[in-house]
């Protein structure tokens, strides 16, 4: 490709754009350590957006500016890095590469019009990257691949290219390949231009390729041209090419853009960014920027997600038009104790301006602590973020991304629209958090601040679910994994000054009777004035699992007056919620009231409630009281190669494997019934077992008796407590 690059006006200025076709929104995708953040630094430096490249190891990069990221030396947040190349503004969206932070990654996919898959020539491709490729394929998102770390000792471009072609399928073809001077990569050869771009002097020098590469150029160039013209709208191109006609490079580049935009052709590029023990020139930035600006689609070519009225109704199609109705989406929310709430917003239609009123709509995440809301709010200042730096802008037009201040109610995933025409954008899919982590405040002062801090974290992160379990009296954070939990606890401390500690998660058990028993409840007290008098005889028998509670009235002769029979039932129900042995709710029993006594003056509703509770407690002393544990139906989706390991592991967790079925893409869905006690950490264990490729869902099924040795252990722990 020809070099049509250029620098922006200078560092510190936010690149501006007047038309949607002058924008490219590109999300960087790849596993942790592939080099996404380092690549963003190199691109920013190559375009003059920043004066000097930062280093992940030093905590000086633009993307990783959060305190947690600097300490852990890895990305845990989505970050926006805008730059200008020629006449095009490029919004680079750097995403985390660790599976725990897939929520930010999917938000990046939503905000982007194309995805750049970053693959390390040293480490290859992991399972998460393969899964994300499939997700992009499902929505036909245009993609390209950039191979990094070719300058390192174990970096092998050709092997990595073959791995990409094997993992991502047909259409993955190189546009450039690296050349070396001894042991050091010195430049790239462009297959379309058939030119060598030599970086050995530290500058990009274009020259003729060395003769030794001509055969390889001819072979790979032919495959590349065939891949491009298969997607061309000019049906005569293939015939002209096969007859030996030399196809003009300019026309091939135009067809390359068409092929990439259709999501059926995936150019492969390569870069080298020296650091530490790997000195040398920065290679491949101009080539990568050319592909991004010339081959990636602009927002006009990307279909806007459907919208509906906030009250419902049929989906409406919205065009990417700066003059159209305002439709924007909050793709990321951050809360700062000093600055307040900052919302990263992708504008799909219309133009967003500061100090105007917008309608904020959020629906569909009530189960994760996000109440449905529809409010009008005034927009604060608009800015174009570059790391910590917020650069003020006058407006944000359709197709662009900006940061909005002072939207107090806006949460990640919310829709911003015109108050006179409020709309709701179809939400993107978020994975369910399946790792429960129980926490408690370390002090009374921390407890007072904990609620507000957690509400802010929930507003930022739709992959976090907050649960206040009334049965176990525990505060539970449902997270994506251990790393996700660690970051949340770190943020509570560093950002909000709230110290919490982890505690062992308690699974809500149940109790039931192990046989039939009778109980006498006698509540008789006389202390002057009206006394309390209530006597009842009950019989308790167990019911099948899931039957709940049944109360039977067999009183004859009025020995218990009719008005007090409901009182006995109420007392029994109250005692059932408190339990009769280990303090867990009592379930699946039938209670029959068959006898009792009353006093004409001293009997009352409260007296017979107390009698009913006492009768149930006495009956429990005559038969074994069984502990019941919750059992979930679990569906595990894994690659075929891990099915045996998964089934064996489920069996070792006291699970019953119900069966399996094949799923397209070389995967298998395994269904099983597993006690909740055994899958508390299954989200972590499955990821380890399947190299990050396995996913699962769980649904409560029923309660079953807890094995005796485990029941004895629980009873012993309750006695200690």
């Amino acid at each position: 490709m020809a070099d049509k690059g250029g620098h922006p006006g200078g560092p510190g200025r936010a690149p501006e754009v007047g038309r949607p076709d002058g924008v490219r929104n590109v999300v960087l995708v790849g596993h942790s350590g592939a080099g996404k953040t380092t690549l963003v630094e190199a691109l920013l430096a190559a375009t003059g957006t920043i004066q000097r490249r930062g280093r992940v190891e030093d905590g000086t990069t633009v993307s990783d500016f959060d305190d947690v990221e600097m300490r852990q030396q890895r990305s845990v947040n989505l970050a926006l890095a805008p730059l200008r190349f020629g006449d095009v503004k490029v919004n680079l969206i750097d995403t985390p590469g660790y599976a725990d932070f897939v929520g930010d990654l999917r938000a990046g996919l939503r905000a982007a019009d194309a995805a750049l898959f970053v693959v390390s020539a040293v480490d290859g491709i992991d399972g998460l990257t393969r899964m994300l490729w499939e997700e992009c394929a499902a929505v036909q998102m245009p993609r390209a691949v950039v191979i990094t770390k070719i300058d390192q000792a174990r970096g092998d471009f050709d092997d990595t290219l073959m791995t990409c072609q094997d993992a991502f399928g047909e259409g993955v073809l190189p546009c450039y390949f690296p050349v070396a001077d001894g042991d050091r990569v010195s430049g790239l050869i462009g297959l379309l231009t058939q030119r060598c771009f030599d970086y050995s002097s530290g500058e990009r020098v274009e020259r003729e390729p060395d003769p030794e590469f001509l055969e390889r150029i001819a072979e790979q160039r032919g495959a590349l041209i065939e891949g491009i013209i298969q997607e061309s709208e000019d049906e005569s191109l293939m015939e002209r090419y096969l007859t030996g006609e030399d196809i003009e490079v300019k026309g091939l580049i135009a067809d390359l853009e068409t092929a990439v935009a259709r999501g059926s052709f995936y150019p492969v590029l390569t870069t080298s960014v020296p650091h530490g023990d790997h000195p040398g020139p920065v290679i491949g930035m101009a080539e990568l920027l050319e592909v991004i600006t010339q081959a990636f689609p602009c927002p006009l070519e990307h279909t806007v997600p459907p919208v509906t009225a906030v009250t419902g109704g049929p989906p409406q199609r919205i065009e990417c038009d700066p003059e159209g109705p305002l439709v924007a989406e909050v793709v990321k929310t951050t809360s700062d104790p000093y600055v307040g709430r900052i919302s990263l917003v992708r504008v799909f239609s219309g133009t967003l301006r500061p100090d105007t009123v917008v309608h904020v709509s959020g629906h569909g995440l009530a189960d994760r602590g996000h109440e449905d809301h529809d409010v009008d709010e005034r927009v604060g200042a608009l800015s174009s973020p570059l790391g910590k730096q917020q650069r003020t802008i006058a407006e944000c037009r359709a197709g662009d991304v900006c940061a909005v201040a002072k939207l107090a109610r806006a949460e990640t995933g919310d829709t911003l629209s015109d108050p006179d025409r409020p709309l709701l954008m179809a939400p993107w899919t978020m994975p369910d958090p399946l790792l429960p982590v129980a926490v408690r405040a370390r002090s009374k002062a921390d407890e007072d601040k904990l609620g507000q801090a957690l509400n802010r974290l929930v507003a930022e992160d739709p992959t976090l679910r907050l649960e206040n379990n009334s049965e176990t009296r525990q505060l539970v954070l449902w997270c994506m994994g251990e790393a996700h939990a660690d970051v949340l606890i770190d943020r509570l401390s560093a950002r909000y000054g709230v110290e919490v500690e982890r505690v062992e998660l308690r699974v809500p058990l149940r109790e039931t009777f192990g046989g039939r028993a009778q109980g006498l409840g006698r509540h008789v007290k006389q202390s002057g004035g009206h006394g309390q008098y209530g006597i009842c005889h009950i019989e308790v028998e167990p019911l099948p699992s899931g039957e709940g509670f049944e109360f039977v009235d067999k009183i004859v002769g009025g020995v218990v007056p009719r008005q007090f029979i409901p009182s006995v039932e109420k007392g029994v129900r109250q005692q059932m919620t408190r339990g009769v042995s280990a303090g867990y709710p009592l379930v699946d029993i039938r209670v029959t009231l068959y006898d009792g006594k009353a006093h004409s003056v001293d009997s009352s509703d409260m007296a017979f409630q107390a009698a009913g509770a006492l009768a149930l407690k006495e009956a429990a002393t005559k038969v074994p009281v069984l502990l019941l544990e919750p059992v979930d139906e679990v569906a595990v989706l894994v690659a075929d190669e891990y099915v045996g390991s998964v089934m064996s592991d489920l069996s070792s967790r006291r699970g019953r494997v119900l069966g399996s079925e094949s799923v397209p893409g070389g995967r298998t869905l395994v269904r099983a019934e597993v006690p909740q006690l055994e899958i508390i950490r299954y989200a972590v264990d499955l990821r380890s077992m399947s190299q990050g490729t396995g996913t699962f869902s769980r649904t409560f099924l029923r309660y079953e008796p807890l094995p005796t040795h485990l029941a004895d252990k629980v009873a012993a722990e309750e006695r200690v407590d």
Side-chain angles (χ1 to χ4, degrees), residues 600-636:
S600 60
V601 175
D602 293 340
S603 289
S604 66
D605 170 61
M606 293 302 297
F608 274 99
Q609 283 189 44
L614 291 170
L616 185 65
K617 290 174 68 176
E618 192 203 31
T621 65
K622 298 178 180 179
V623 292
V625 175
L626 305 178
L627 281 181
L628 303 176
E629 62 178 337
V631 176
D632 284 353
E633 182 176 355
V634 176
V636 187

Side-chain angles (χ1 to χ4, degrees), residues 41-321:
E41 287 292 302
L43 290 168
L44 292 173
T47 55
T49 309
I50 58 175
Q51 294 288 352
R52 182 181 178 184
R53 286 186 291 114
R55 283 166 38 94
V56 172
E57 296 82 357
D58 299 334
T60 55
T61 63
V62 167
S63 300
D64 292 350
F65 59 88
D66 189 285
D67 290 341
V68 176
E69 294 174 315
M70 289 188 282
R71 284 195 298 272
Q72 297 187 3
Q73 296 187 7
R74 67 176 176 186
S75 300
V76 300
N77 296 310
L78 176 151
L80 179 67
L83 58 85
R84 191 177 191 89
F85 187 72
D87 296 329
V88 178
K89 177 186 179 183
V90 180
N91 288 317
L92 296 175
I93 303 171
D94 189 12
T95 62
Y98 198 67
D100 280 19
F101 309 108
V102 69
D104 271 34
L105 195 150
R106 290 189 178 178
L109 292 176
R110 178 64 163 229
D113 301 307
L116 183 63
F117 277 73
V118 182
V119 178
S120 165
V122 175
D123 303 315
I125 299 172
D126 69 349
L128 177 63
T129 307
R130 293 172 186 258
M131 291 172 62
L132 289 171
W133 185 274
E134 293 175 4
E135 286 192 27
C136 289
V139 296
Q140 295 184 317
M141 174 169 277
R143 284 149 281 166
V145 178
V146 58
I147 298 175
T148 62
K149 301 185 180 182
I150 57 171
D151 55 321
Q152 297 192 16
R154 294 186 295 113
D156 190 311
F157 173 81
D158 292 331
D159 282 353
T160 307
L161 175 61
M162 291 178 62
T163 300
C164 291
Q165 291 172 332
D166 179 64
F168 302 149
E170 297 180 1
V172 177
L173 294 169
C175 290
Y176 299 86
F177 66 83
V179 294
D181 183 6
D183 295 332
R184 180 177 296 179
V185 176
S186 60
L188 303 173
I189 291 180
L191 294 174
L192 289 182
T193 60
Q194 303 182 80
R195 302 288 289 174
C196 178
F197 302 100
D198 193 338
Y199 288 85
S200 57
S201 65
E203 298 291 332
R204 185 180 192 243
V205 177
E206 184 177 340
R207 61 175 177 83
E208 291 287 337
D210 295 337
E212 62 189 276
F213 295 113
L214 295 180
E215 183 177 347
R216 180 176 180 180
I217 291 172
E219 178 183 348
Q220 295 193 355
R221 186 173 191 267
L224 175 62
I225 292 176
E226 289 180 19
I228 293 173
I229 63 181
Q230 281 180 354
E231 300 296 328
S232 174
E233 295 178 355
D234 185 352
E235 298 179 358
S236 67
L237 268 183
M238 180 63 75
E239 183 179 348
R240 288 163 53 196
Y241 171 72
L242 293 176
T243 58
E245 182 178 336
D246 191 19
I247 308 298
E248 186 181 10
V249 172
K250 184 177 180 180
L252 288 173
I253 292 175
D255 285 330
L256 173 64
E257 179 183 0
T258 301
V260 173
R262 287 177 175 172
S264 56
F265 178 80
Y266 321 105
V268 180
L269 300 99
T270 185
T271 62
S272 173
V273 182
H275 62 91
D277 298 331
H278 303 282
V282 177
I283 295 174
M285 297 306 116
E287 290 79 8
L288 178 55
L289 286 165
E290 289 167 10
V291 169
I292 288 174
T293 54
Q294 297 179 43
F296 276 4
C298 70
L300 294 173
E301 301 171 83
H302 193 206
T303 303
V304 176
V307 299
T308 60
V310 294
T311 55
Q316 306 173 31
R317 281 293 175 186
I318 298 293
E319 300 297 327
C320 180
D321 179 5

Side-chain angles (χ1 to χ4, degrees), residues 342-406:
I342 303 282
S343 303
L344 189 66
V345 172
R346 163 73 191 262
V347 180
F348 287 95
S349 173
T351 300
L352 188 63
R353 296 181 175 87
D355 202 34
T356 57
V357 176
V358 299
H359 185 79
V360 180
S361 299
H363 294 252
L365 288 174
D367 61 326
R368 300 193 185 185
H370 303 255
E371 294 183 359
D372 288 354
H373 50 274
D374 287 288
V375 295
D376 289 348
E377 288 198 78
R378 185 172 295 277
V379 173
L382 301 185
S383 59
S384 178
L386 184 66
K388 290 184 177 180
Q389 184 183 5
Q390 298 288 338
R391 303 166 298 175
T392 302
I393 58 176
E395 62 182 17
C396 186
R397 298 168 70 83
D400 208 351
V401 182
C402 70
V404 182
K406 297 183 179 179

Side-chain angles (χ1 to χ4, degrees), residues 568-622:
V568 175
E569 180 180 357
K570 186 175 182 181
V572 169
R573 286 183 179 274
Q574 289 175 345
Q575 188 61 49
M576 287 176 64
T577 63
R578 297 189 291 266
V580 292
S581 176
Y584 294 105
L586 187 67
V587 297
D588 298 334
I589 59 170
R590 177 187 291 120
V591 173
T592 302
L593 174 63
Y594 64 89
D595 199 1
K597 290 183 180 179
H599 189 278
S600 60
V601 175
D602 293 340
S603 289
S604 66
D605 170 61
M606 293 302 297
F608 274 99
Q609 283 189 44
L614 291 170
L616 185 65
K617 290 174 68 176
E618 192 203 31
T621 65
K622 298 178 180 179

